Amino acid sequence: MSLVVVGSVAYDGVETPHGKVERMLGGACTYIALAASYFTPTSIVGVVGDDFDPQDADLLSGRNIDLNGLERVPGKTFFWQGVYSADMNDRTTVRTDLNVFADFNPKLPAAYREHPYLLLGNIQPALQRSVRAQMNGARLVGGDTMNYWINDYRGELLDTLKEWDFLLINDSEARLLSGESNLRRAAAKIVEMGPHTLVVKRGEFGALLFQKDRYFSVPGFLLDIVLDPTGAGDCFAGGFIGYLAEQGIDAASGSIDHAAARRAVIYGSVMGSFCCEEFGVDRFRSLTRGEIDARFQEFKAFTEF
Ligand code: AMP
């Protein structure tokens, strides 16, 4: 059940209380695709410059990620630099060099258009919409957005969301999008905007799943040590859609099956937690599906009562 992922492929400079890396592979699309690749065949759409290291491409293709939709153009790859607070719950963006990403105009290779699953990473809503329009009969479509698009591109974003089955955002973004400070009311408004399934990510505190009449709340996985939280939200998205694709879940009935959506939220949480255990994408160099399923069972054990 193949998945198409669209978004940034980047180099990141990251500083956390546990260390500093000047330049390493990053980008939302990269993290989403790596996480999803443990569940389902994954194809990416993105753009990189001529400085993109073949070894980074090898890491992705080593996980069987299809790179036919990864455009390579003259210039530099998108660069993002961030510094985390002592408790790592906040981060400050020090530098964003869009470089070749500034002119990103996603074009789907013909073979991608027939894929049933689509995850739209955080890019301009009109571009997300144009990708949606290039797909022929996708079975499940959703994605991510951020405060910048909610504030400054609201109309475009609302048009885009009308065509989505699910939306993954953090709690402050859910409040901003809905204009409601109460999360339950915020969610009730958002599920009327188009995405009938809403996942609100709350960093180390876990996640909430909302559908029309039900919700599900999951705590964060307590790690011994968090080295670098960069990409955790994207890995959550990758685990969430990856699991739904693996199970062949769609929204033909008007919504995503609730029990499947709950399990997808747990797999999302599992993938986000693994991401934090090493800097950048390093955890994905050794991670196995066995470790993922074992942590899924741990979630079951520590939330049961
Ligand atoms: P997350 O920690 O899940 O929010 O994702 C972090 C990733 O998002 C990093 O690898 C960055 O390269 C990427 N990123 C940061 N800013 C942007 C942006 N404005 N547009 C797209 N991707 C970004």
Side-chain angles (χ1 to χ4, degrees), residues 99-116:
N99 298 329
V100 299
F101 194 54
D103 301 316
F104 182 43
N105 185 10
K107 286 178 286 301
L108 267 61
Y112 283 26
R113 294 167 195 243
E114 308 304 322
H115 291 351

Side-chain angles (χ1 to χ4, degrees), residues 170-298:
N170 67 35
D171 39 10
S172 63
E173 291 160 351
R175 292 186 169 103
L176 189 63
L177 176 60
S178 63
E180 291 279 353
S181 54
N182 174 297
L183 262 189
R184 197 164 182 171
R185 285 173 182 236
K189 275 199 173 173
I190 293 169
V191 297
E192 296 299 323
M193 291 177 182
H196 46 72
T197 297
L198 170 69
V199 178
V200 177
K201 298 172 289 177
R202 307 170 82 198
E204 70 164 323
F205 305 112
L208 293 162
L209 164 72
F210 292 95
Q211 291 179 318
K212 199 171 185 345
D213 304 314
R214 321 192 225 196
Y215 75 93
F216 174 58
S217 173
V218 49
F221 185 83
L222 286 175
L223 289 166
D224 284 337
I225 187 165
V226 172
L227 281 191
D228 171 18
T230 308
D234 302 315
C235 289
F236 185 109
F240 178 83
I241 183 73
Y243 173 75
L244 293 174
E246 180 189 53
Q247 299 300 310
I249 302 292
D250 62 30
S253 65
S255 190
I256 298 169
D257 174 74
H258 187 68
R262 283 182 175 219
R263 291 193 296 273
V265 166
I266 302 296
Y267 273 113
S269 306
V270 165
M271 298 312 288
S273 72
F274 278 120
C275 177
C276 298
E277 289 182 346
E278 296 201 25
F279 269 83
V281 299
D282 279 354
R283 187 63 179 90
F284 297 102
R285 297 181 198 277
S286 63
L287 184 67
T288 64
R289 180 62 193 258
E291 290 177 292
I292 294 168
D293 289 335
R295 188 163 289 180
F296 180 91
Q297 292 305 329
E298 267 188 79

